[in-house]
Amino acid sequence: MNSSNPYPENERPVEAWCDPVSLHVKLADGREVVTPLWWYPRLFKASASERNNVELMLDGVHWPDLDEDLSIRGMLKGWKYPDAVAPRAVA
């Protein structure tokens, strides 16, 4: 990582999508970061169409329909919204 560049090339998102339970982000170095949708209440409550209207940024992912931005660093560190609550398991 170049100290003058706060966004390491290996952490640049190259693809992002949501399945019914997870957010997936593929990084430039080939890693795939997968986090639960419930970590991000706006994404969790959004429609599939809204979730999959995604724009990649230099350091994260943006959902224009939801006015939501997530950083790659935050996902790599396991950050979730403070008020995020895991859904109750259905027996």
Side-chain angles (χ1 to χ4, degrees):
M1 174 170 134
N2 180 340
S3 62
S4 66
N5 182 2
Y7 310 115
E9 174 62 22
N10 64 322
E11 292 181 7
R12 182 177 52 83
V14 296
E15 188 177 2
W17 69 96
C18 295
D19 66 27
V21 296
S22 301
L23 165 62
H24 301 258
V25 181
K26 191 171 283 188
L27 305 180
D29 65 5
R31 289 179 291 171
E32 183 179 326
V33 181
V34 181
T35 55
L37 280 179
W38 68 263
W39 281 15
Y40 320 110
R42 281 189 197 170
L43 286 179
F44 187 68
K45 294 175 185 172
S47 70
S49 174
E50 290 170 325
R51 283 187 202 135
N52 288 303
N53 181 17
V54 177
E55 295 175 356
L56 303 176
M57 301 183 302
L58 185 60
D59 65 337
V61 185
H62 173 67
W63 288 266
D65 295 341
L66 304 169
D67 192 27
E68 181 75 10
D69 298 302
L70 296 175
S71 74
I72 298 303
R73 289 217 181 121
M75 291 192 297
L76 289 171
K77 291 181 178 190
W79 294 344
K80 62 181 182 272
Y81 277 69
D83 60 344
V85 177
R88 292 173 49 166
V90 178

